[in-house]
Amino acid sequence: MKMSKKTFISQFFKPGNKVGALAPSSRFLAAKMLKNINFDTCKTIVEFGPGTGAFTGVIQQRMPVDCKLLIIELNETFYEELTAKFTNEQTEVINGSATELMEILKARNIQHADCIISSLPLAIFDESLRAQILGTAHASLSAGGYFVQFQYSLQSKKAIKQFFNELSLDFTPLNFPPAFVYHCKK
Ligand SMILES: C[S@@+](CC[C@H](N)C(=O)[O-])C[C@H]1O[C@@H](n2cnc3c(N)ncnc32)[C@H](O)[C@@H]1O
C-alpha cells in the first residue's frame, strides 16, 4: 500500500480526527477540482486541508513562477509529510486551521487570495465552524476570486450558497467515495 494511503487510514482512526475520508482523492477528482482555475492570473493560491497532497503536486505543476501557494493543514502528521514533500520557494506549508486564513495572509503582507481550493470535510463540522470557514474564505478572496470545494454529499450546498451565490455543481463517480465539486465565484 502507498505511504499516503497508509497515513490516511491511520489518521482517520485517531480519536477526534477531522480527516473526513478514508483515502486520498483520485486524480480524476483532482482534475475536476482544478479544471476552472486560470492559473496564469493567480498570485496567491490557498489550499485548505491538503491531507497527503492529492491536489498539491498538480497545483505546483500548473502555477506560474510568480505565484505563491499557501497550504493549511490542521493534522500534524499530514503537516510533517507535506512539509517534506512540497515545501519550496513558492510553497509554504502551514500547520493550522483554515479559520486562521485572514491572520495568515496579513502576517505575509498578502491582501487577498485569488483562489482557494478546499477539501475540508464541511459535513462533519458543526454549523458555526462551517459558517466561520466559509465566511473566512469569502472575506479572504479578491473580487471575482474563485473558491472550489469537494464533498461526498449535497448536505453543505445550502451553507455554501449562503456565502457564494454564484455556484455551479460538478460530480465524479471516479473517486472513493464519489464526490460532488462546488465551483464558486466571489
Ligand atoms: C477529506 S481530507 C482531504 C485530503 C486531501 N486534500 C485529499 O483530497 O485527498 C480533509 C483534510 O482537511 C484537514 N482539515 C480538517 N479540518 C481542518 C481545518 N480546520 N483546517 C485545515 N485543515 C483541516 C484534515 O486534516 C484532512 O487532511
Side-chain angles (χ1 to χ4, degrees):
M1 198 189 290
K2 268 177 81 178
M3 192 58 202
S4 56
K5 280 192 183 152
K6 272 193 194 159
T7 315
F8 238 93
I9 292 173
S10 68
Q11 295 311 300
F12 180 80
F13 286 107
K14 263 194 167 174
N17 85 84
K18 294 260 195 277
V19 176
L22 254 173
S25 295
S26 69
R27 64 191 163 91
F28 304 102
L29 179 53
K32 287 256 174 196
M33 287 286 284
L34 306 181
K35 73 175 191 185
N36 287 347
I37 301 174
N38 185 356
F39 282 94
D40 290 338
T41 61
C42 291
K43 293 274 177 264
T44 304
I45 298 176
V46 173
E47 187 182 7
F48 284 167
T52 49
F55 306 149
T56 315
V58 188
I59 300 168
Q60 282 189 326
Q61 279 166 21
R62 297 207 199 154
M63 60 195 256
V65 287
D66 60 346
C67 177
K68 182 147 182 78
L69 172 63
L70 302 174
I71 65 177
I72 306 173
E73 175 53 59
L74 191 65
N75 178 292
E76 220 164 290
T77 303
F78 288 152
Y79 163 74
E80 277 161 20
E81 200 170 291
L82 290 161
T83 302
K85 217 159 140 186
F86 295 107
T87 305
N88 62 28
E89 269 181 25
Q90 287 177 260
T91 306
E92 187 180 348
V93 186
I94 296 156
N95 188 202
S97 170
T99 53
E100 296 155 15
L101 179 58
M102 303 257 255
E103 294 79 8
I104 289 169
L105 292 177
K106 202 171 166 202
R108 287 154 185 81
N109 284 321
I110 299 171
Q111 278 197 314
H112 293 290
D114 302 297
C115 174
I116 299 176
I117 298 155
S118 173
S119 308
L120 297 179
L122 297 178
I124 67 166
F125 294 164
D126 65 37
E127 208 179 316
S128 87
L129 179 58
R130 194 161 44 234
Q132 195 188 349
I133 285 173
L134 291 167
T136 300
H138 187 271
S140 303
L141 280 170
S142 50
Y146 177 68
F147 176 73
V148 61
Q149 166 80 59
F150 85 79
Q151 294 284 275
Y152 303 123
S153 74
L154 293 174
Q155 193 186 320
S156 301
K157 185 174 176 193
K158 204 170 146 202
I160 296 173
K161 218 169 161 77
Q162 273 171 358
F163 291 90
F164 294 96
N165 51 23
E166 221 179 294
L167 179 157
S168 72
L169 257 181
D170 220 342
F171 176 74
T172 179
L174 303 175
N175 190 67
F176 175 75
F180 295 94
V181 177
Y182 298 85
H183 301 280
C184 308
K185 200 172 161 195
K186 179 165 173 178

